[in-house]
Amino acid sequence: METTITLRLPALPAFEAGWVWLVGSGPGDPGLLTLLGAHALACADVIVYDALVEESILELAAPGAEMVFAGKRGGKPSPKQPDISARLVRLAHEGRRVLRLKGGDPFVFGRGGEEALTLAAAGIPFRIVPGITAGIGGLAYAGIPATHRDTNHTVAFVTGHMAGGEVPDGIDWAALARGAQALVIYMALKHIEAITGHLIAGGLDAATPVAVVSRAATRHQKVLETTLGEAARDVVQSGIEAPAVVAIGQIVSLRAGLDWLGAMEGRLLDADPLGRNRERSTG
Ligand code: SAH
């Protein structure tokens, strides 16, 4: 039976002509959009969106809104960042309400800062609407918390990819191996072998739990659970695909108790995924 509910919304700011709103769409599920994000979709005249924005979110655009794709398609190189920024400036100068829509959060490995700086330099007024980043919300859809009192007091968000496609050389992998209790790596699949190799060489135990969460918070979500030592091989063997976030550390073990999506499909959850109570009762 379907019931009709009325969603009561707080007062939201007007989307003024000549403004650019830089909005994060979240990792996939349209239900994870913020109210400001949904409001922007309903009001914008033109929407400049990336490849990571789910189709079901684009469908929330007002009828008649102009849709401009600014991502990579079919292996072709993506539009150059300066071209995208220049386009945003031009559209705003035309007096349009410009929605720049990005996957996840615009300020997390999303180049939102660069685009906003270009707008600032051009004197274009803009608003930033944060979104749920894949490295937190996407992991949550796989039943993996970014932090948990029993496993980690720190978490590092890392990019596994530089603009040119190589493993970032500015990252001190050995320091991460020593210091980070949990690692969440974006854009990691292509270089998974190099990355896991650097971390093991830096002293991280090869048995450390790893989860690869592909297309998180979409219908196509897949999760590969493995270990640091076996991740590179398992990624290839499983054929798991980008976009994916890679979680490394004991937080991954919590999935046995927190895989709420799995539970909806009949998975039995382990209420003691870290074995704390078992240890206590036997020790
Ligand atoms: N701004 C985005 C990140 C953009 S970088 C955010 O905050 O989430 C692109 C990388 O983000 C991808 O390579 C992948 O590592 C990650 N990512 C984005 N959406 C994802 C999703 N639905 N599932 C898994 N990983 C995702």
Side-chain angles (χ1 to χ4, degrees):
M1 192 186 67
E2 219 170 273
T3 45
T4 311
I5 56 153
T6 308
L7 202 56
R8 299 188 63 198
L9 301 179
L12 296 167
F15 196 155
E16 311 269 7
W19 278 63
V20 177
W21 284 27
L22 234 111
V23 175
S25 73
D29 184 345
L32 295 181
L33 264 177
T34 60
L35 295 178
L36 280 168
H39 173 60
L41 273 155
C43 298
D45 302 313
V46 50
I47 300 176
V48 183
Y49 65 99
D50 281 347
L52 281 175
V53 179
E54 280 292 301
E55 190 61 41
S56 52
I57 288 175
L58 296 175
E59 282 165 10
L60 303 175
E66 185 189 343
M67 307 301 287
V68 179
F69 180 68
K72 228 179 249 182
R73 189 168 271 164
K76 295 203 192 99
S78 46
K80 297 268 175 293
Q81 193 60 48
D83 295 347
I84 297 172
S85 299
R87 182 160 201 170
L88 297 176
V89 169
R90 206 163 56 236
L91 289 166
H93 274 148
E94 286 168 10
R96 309 235 258 161
R97 287 173 290 200
V98 186
L99 168 53
R100 175 66 175 121
L101 193 59
K102 290 171 167 287
D105 184 282
F107 277 2
V108 179
F109 302 130
R111 309 191 72 167
E114 286 157 75
E115 290 178 17
L117 285 173
T118 312
L119 297 171
I124 308 278
F126 62 89
R127 171 183 286 270
I128 308 293
V129 180
I132 294 181
T133 189
I136 297 180
L139 289 188
Y141 267 50
I144 301 170
T147 73
H148 185 284
R149 254 160 59 110
D150 291 336
T151 56
N152 61 315
H153 304 292
T154 62
V155 56
F157 297 99
V158 182
T159 172
H161 212 293
M162 285 206 308
E166 57 276 37
V167 190
D169 49 15
I171 295 177
D172 186 343
W173 294 99
L176 284 175
R178 277 194 309 277
Q181 296 168 304
L183 289 164
V184 177
I185 312 187
Y186 292 66
M187 296 170 275
L189 277 198
K190 192 167 167 205
H191 300 301
I192 190 77
E193 189 169 0
I195 291 167
T196 51
H198 286 315
L199 290 170
I200 292 170
L204 202 57
D205 190 340
T208 306
V210 169
V212 179
V213 185
S214 164
R215 305 185 71 180
T218 74
R219 303 184 277 117
H220 308 287
Q221 173 170 311
K222 288 211 168 57
V223 183
L224 168 71
E225 283 189 61
T226 174
T227 61
L228 196 60
E230 289 169 345
R233 190 201 61 200
D234 288 349
V235 161
V236 173
Q237 276 183 4
S238 66
I240 199 160
E241 286 177 349
V245 277
V246 175
I248 303 177
Q250 291 305 323
I251 51 170
V252 172
S253 308
L254 291 161
R255 178 163 200 262
L258 298 177
D259 179 16
W260 56 277
L261 268 175
M264 285 165 60
E265 283 158 17
R267 177 173 183 178
L268 280 181
L269 297 184
D270 177 355
D272 184 24
L274 301 173
R276 296 283 152 121
N277 299 331
R278 284 193 288 276
E279 259 164 42
R280 221 168 287 145
S281 55
T282 55

